[in-house]
Amino acid sequence: MASAHCLSSHYGFPGPNGKGYLSRLNQGKTQSFRVWACEKTAPARKQIEIVYDPDDKRNRWVDEAGKNSGLSRMTLFSPCKINVFLRITGKREDGYHDLASLFHVISLGDTLKFSLSPTKRKDHLSTNAPGVPIDDRNLIIKALNLYRKKTGSDNFFWIHLDKKVPTGAGLGGGSSNAATALWAANQFSGSPASEHELQEWSAEIGSDIPFFFSHGAAYCTGRGEIVRDIPSPFTSDLPMVLIKPKEACPTADVYKRLKLDQTSKVDPSSLLDKISVDGVSQDICVNDLEAPAFEVLPSLKRLKKRILAAGRGQYDAVFMSGSGSTLVGIGAPDPPQFIYDDEDYQDVFISEARFCTREAGSWYSQSVPAAATAL
């Protein structure tokens, strides 16, 4: 039954012959119905509450659909990533750019809830995030369509996306959602596809998706789809803070302003070697997309400078992830005080995070909580 604090609408009207009263409560898109029946002739009027909850009916359908497979529901953590360094090494004939980057999964992420659909006709996606498409433009739906195409599976799903990773952040939230959906679909089917096959297939719908089938740390090249697993060079207790302004950096706009003759000339493999030995430092965290992103969003450049100045050495490195607009501070879990005090940053997204990995044969879990705040 919907609780009072979740009540978004309440409509009442008399029942037949004035003997009853019906109340409808909306909780998101789910409706619960309460019916109070009362006898006028009774000396003391008694009310009997009858509850009809469509969620119960839907869950029974889901359980029925899962009888044959043994699995009807699944909830998975869908973590995001940061690029510890990101070199752009050239432009390809297909219009994409070659890159060389150290990707790492972190503890900030979304939650995806999957239920088998008994109709076997269409996937249904819902989310708490306004503006996120819920049709086949969403990478989750694309991933499920891809899985059915590759395997012949006839499973369709009800999916709810509880979004914590901001969009337009350079954190790969959508790519992670797609990888998580592929993993889930494979589990529901009894895991007929190998992790390597899922990884290869995923490159057909997004360059960053294959990375999430690594074990959490990988040196990625090509468009990002060539993934080389590496041991994580970081401990899980190394703190970081993510700071993302309200404004996004559209990836296409950033690449339009990229000038290859003005990118770093450092060998990316030497960055990987150095970080594996010495750990993270400002000179290692090179991102060739920072300069064009700062042209797209000059306020982001000013924010990075202020963080470096106000941090007074509390961060081992401050850098932008991906194509922006998230700035990462490694070495401390909190932003500088001015982020809280300055009205210019009242809409900034802030999250503490940690580096994380996964074990072979299992998906990621949020073993280290990440506290996220939107000021």
Side-chain angles (χ1 to χ4, degrees):
M1 184 185 304
S3 59
H5 68 276
C6 293
L7 184 63
S8 62
S9 63
H10 179 193
Y11 304 100
F13 50 88
N17 303 318
K19 290 186 177 180
Y21 184 85
L22 183 144
S23 174
R24 184 179 72 191
L25 295 89
N26 290 341
Q27 186 176 3
K29 290 186 177 180
T30 303
Q31 297 179 342
S32 294
F33 293 87
R34 296 172 176 174
V35 179
W36 287 271
C38 49
E39 283 293 337
K40 286 185 175 181
T41 57
R45 183 175 295 185
K46 294 182 180 180
Q47 288 188 341
I48 302 171
E49 185 176 354
I50 304 167
V51 178
Y52 167 66
D53 186 352
D55 275 346
D56 286 343
K57 187 173 183 180
R58 186 181 75 171
N59 289 338
R60 287 196 299 271
W61 285 343
V62 168
D63 291 338
E64 186 67 26
K67 277 185 178 179
N68 293 331
S69 66
L71 183 65
S72 59
R73 300 187 192 91
M74 180 181 292
T75 299
L76 292 173
F77 180 57
S78 178
C80 64
K81 59 80 182 172
I82 60 170
N83 301 85
V84 182
F85 64 78
L86 175 56
R87 285 287 338 277
I88 305 299
T89 56
K91 190 167 185 180
R92 303 151 54 107
E93 291 183 0
D94 59 10
Y96 288 96
H97 287 78
D98 279 314
L99 60 83
S101 178
L102 172 55
F103 283 58
H104 208 298
V105 167
I106 60 173
S107 58
L108 173 67
D110 305 327
T111 300
L112 277 167
K113 296 181 180 181
F114 297 87
S115 299
L116 273 179
S117 170
T119 63
K120 295 187 179 296
R121 288 195 306 267
K122 185 179 180 182
D123 297 308
H124 295 273
L125 174 63
S126 61
T127 181
N128 65 327
V132 172
I134 57 174
D135 54 18
D136 56 10
R137 292 172 296 167
N138 192 292
L139 282 171
I140 294 170
I141 304 299
K142 288 184 178 182
L144 296 174
N145 286 335
L146 176 68
Y147 185 80
R148 285 186 287 265
K149 174 185 172 185
K150 295 292 186 180
T151 66
S153 168
D154 63 353
N155 285 335
F156 287 82
F157 301 92
W158 286 324
I159 316 105
H160 181 73
L161 168 62
D162 184 9
K163 197 77 180 152
K164 296 290 195 302
V165 179
T167 56
L171 298 173
S175 296
S176 174
N177 294 165
T180 305
L182 281 172
W183 174 273
N186 200 43
Q187 295 298 303
F188 276 99
S189 295
S191 301
S194 67
E195 289 185 25
H196 181 68
E197 287 174 316
L198 296 175
Q199 186 178 58
E200 282 192 334
W201 297 344
S202 69
E204 296 182 19
I205 55 175
S207 300
D208 287 352
I209 304 172
F211 158 70
F212 289 96
F213 291 100
S214 73
H215 294 132
Y219 181 60
C220 299
T221 53
R223 292 183 289 113
E225 85 286 5
I226 303 172
V227 180
R228 191 181 99 201
D229 256 291
I230 63 169
S232 176
F234 311 110
T235 60
S236 61
D237 61 351
L238 179 61
M240 76 180 78
V241 62
L242 310 176
I243 304 171
K244 182 200 175 295
K246 185 178 181 180
E247 299 83 6
C249 281
T251 301
D253 292 348
V254 173
Y255 273 100
K256 283 178 184 176
R257 289 167 173 77
L258 175 68
K259 301 178 180 65
L260 287 172
D261 60 349
Q262 296 179 15
T263 58
S264 171
K265 300 299 180 267
V266 63
D267 181 356
S269 61
S270 70
L271 293 175
L272 185 62
D273 291 341
K274 188 173 181 181
I275 207 167
S276 299
V277 174
D278 301 328
V280 71
S281 61
Q282 190 67 49
D283 63 315
I284 288 175
C285 297
V286 174
N287 186 341
D288 286 335
L289 296 180
E290 271 196 9
F294 290 165
E295 287 184 26
V296 174
L297 196 60
S299 59
L300 189 62
K301 181 178 183 179
R302 294 193 294 271
L303 177 57
K304 181 185 176 183
K305 285 184 176 180
R306 287 195 67 178
I307 293 171
L308 285 167
R312 297 188 177 90
Q314 74 181 97
Y315 303 112
D316 300 321
V318 176
F319 55 93
M320 187 183 80
S321 179
S323 58
S325 58
T326 300
L327 296 174
V328 182
I330 302 287
D334 300 310
Q337 187 60 39
F338 78 84
I339 295 290
Y340 297 108
D341 297 340
D342 195 324
E343 289 187 0
D344 289 342
Y345 301 109
Q346 62 181 350
D347 294 324
V348 164
F349 171 90
I350 301 168
S351 179
E352 178 186 356
R354 297 288 192 277
F355 291 103
C356 63
T357 56
R358 71 178 178 97
E359 298 294 328
S362 61
W363 199 241
Y364 299 93
S365 62
Q366 194 174 14
S367 55
V368 182
T373 306
L375 296 185

